[in-house]
């Protein structure tokens, strides 16, 4: 499902990923840990088709062109990007209309009790409220968005970093339940978030160990 073959990537002249090879089968759950700044987010962005490798090949769900890869994966980035739209539109992002599915992902991302307090509920416009959202609320909208896209591949970059431990457990459990048949790559500093994962790597010196 995900194949990285001899992949290297640098910012300017700073080598971040160095001849990295990795093969992930459909349905596997892979954890990636490592020191801050070692390149975990960069590696995830390569798998998400957001960056193009300097050399080597990245193949995800049958695609090797970054733009095509990005259409095939669901990603929760470390700092979620919200748009000046309603919560509903931030979750659906122009994908097909399915209010039942929105309701479902809002519940799974543990957004319901907060959304129910807002004046226009799910239709509340975030543009006016962007500064009023907590990091955890923004993160849960990003999780609901990734679930709504419903790709075969789910890439998670510290998806629960802004949540308290009770909420993060609840949201991560919901993600794992949702993603039972999906291929998951999860970057985190907390090994307890990777309980039950098939493999856990540490990224160091540009390679996975
Ligand atoms: N757009 C960029 N341009 C130049 N350098 C960058 C860019 N993004 C990241 N870097 C640098 O590349 C290195 C790897 O960054 P990256 O964000 O991948 O690390 P990380 O492992 O995700 O760290 P953290 O655990 O803190 O999130 C860091 O030294 C960072 O400063
Ligand atoms: Mg990072």
């Amino acid at each position: 499902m995900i194949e990285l073959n001899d992949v290297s990537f640098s910012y300017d002249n700073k080598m971040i990923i160095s001849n990295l090879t990795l093969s992930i089968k459909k349905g596997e759950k892979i954890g990636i840990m490592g020191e801050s700044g070692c390149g975990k987010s960069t590696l995830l962005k390569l798998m998400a088709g957001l960056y193009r490798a300097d050399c080597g090949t990245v193949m995800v769900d049958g695609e090797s062109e970054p733009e095509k890869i990005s259409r095939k994966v669901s990603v929760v980035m470390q700092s979620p990007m919200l748009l000046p739209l309603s919560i509903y539109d931030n979750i659906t992002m122009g994908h097909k209309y399915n209010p039942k599915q929105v309701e479902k992902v809002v519940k799974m991302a543990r957004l319901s009790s907060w959304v129910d307090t807002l004046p226009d509920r799910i239709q509340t416009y975030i543009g006016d409220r962007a500064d009023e959202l907590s990091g955890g609320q923004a993160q849960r909208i990003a999780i609901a968005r990734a679930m709504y896209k419903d790709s075969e591949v789910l890439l998670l970059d510290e998806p629960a970093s802004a949540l308290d431990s009770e909420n993060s457990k609840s949201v991560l459990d919901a993600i794992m339940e949702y993603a039972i048949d999906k291929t998951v790559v999860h970057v985190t500093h907390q090994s307890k978030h990777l309980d039950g994962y098939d493999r856990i790597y540490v990224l160091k010196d540009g390679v996975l160990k």
Side-chain angles (χ1 to χ4, degrees):
M1 187 54 85
I2 303 180
E3 294 278 348
L4 275 69
N5 201 354
D6 226 2
V7 169
S8 295
F9 181 87
S10 310
Y11 292 113
D12 304 320
N13 284 327
K14 190 171 168 202
M15 178 76 97
I16 306 290
I17 304 296
S18 172
N19 301 105
L20 185 149
T21 292
L22 172 68
S23 176
I24 304 174
K25 293 198 199 75
K26 183 172 163 59
E28 279 191 312
K29 312 283 182 280
I30 304 300
I32 297 180
M33 304 190 68
E35 280 181 11
S36 181
C38 71
K40 303 177 297 298
S41 296
T42 305
L43 177 59
L44 218 64
K45 285 174 183 167
L46 284 161
M47 291 183 197
L50 297 171
Y51 292 160
R52 185 183 288 274
D54 297 335
C55 54
T57 53
V58 176
M59 181 84 130
V60 180
D61 200 1
E63 304 290 353
S64 56
E65 265 304 301
E67 298 92 73
K68 289 188 179 163
I69 291 176
S70 67
R71 274 184 240 134
K72 284 246 181 166
V73 301
S74 294
V75 195
V76 180
M77 301 301 292
Q78 196 165 12
S79 319
M81 208 192 45
L82 298 181
L83 302 170
L85 299 167
S86 64
I87 296 176
Y88 184 98
D89 288 335
N90 265 281
I91 291 172
T92 58
M93 296 293 281
H95 294 290
K96 65 179 185 303
Y97 178 76
N98 188 345
K100 278 243 144 53
Q101 185 63 12
V102 173
E103 207 176 301
K104 198 170 148 192
V105 299
V106 163
K107 278 210 183 85
M108 285 195 289
R110 307 294 186 254
L111 279 166
S112 316
S113 54
W114 167 61
V115 165
D116 286 347
T117 66
L118 299 173
D120 297 316
R121 301 189 159 207
I122 192 77
Q123 294 300 343
T124 303
Y125 182 70
I126 306 190
D128 296 333
R129 297 188 158 258
D131 298 338
E132 295 170 31
L133 293 195
S134 73
Q137 286 156 350
Q139 217 161 32
R140 280 176 288 162
I141 292 173
I143 290 167
R145 177 192 287 168
M147 287 171 161
Y148 190 80
K149 190 175 175 191
D150 201 27
S151 313
E152 285 303 311
V153 174
L154 180 61
L155 304 176
L156 305 168
D157 196 352
E158 304 270 8
S161 58
L163 302 176
D164 61 79
S165 61
E166 198 176 310
N167 261 304
S168 84
K169 179 162 179 10
S170 156
V171 170
L172 290 171
D173 286 350
I175 292 177
M176 288 322 280
E177 197 180 315
Y178 154 82
I180 188 131
D181 298 321
K182 315 263 184 213
T183 308
V184 178
V185 182
H186 183 166
V187 167
T188 179
H189 286 288
Q190 304 219 44
S191 55
K192 68 174 184 219
H193 290 169
L194 302 174
D195 277 353
Y197 273 54
D198 297 303
R199 275 177 280 153
I200 298 171
Y201 292 106
V202 175
L203 181 62
K204 194 166 191 273
D205 303 326
V207 290
L208 294 169
K209 294 177 179 167

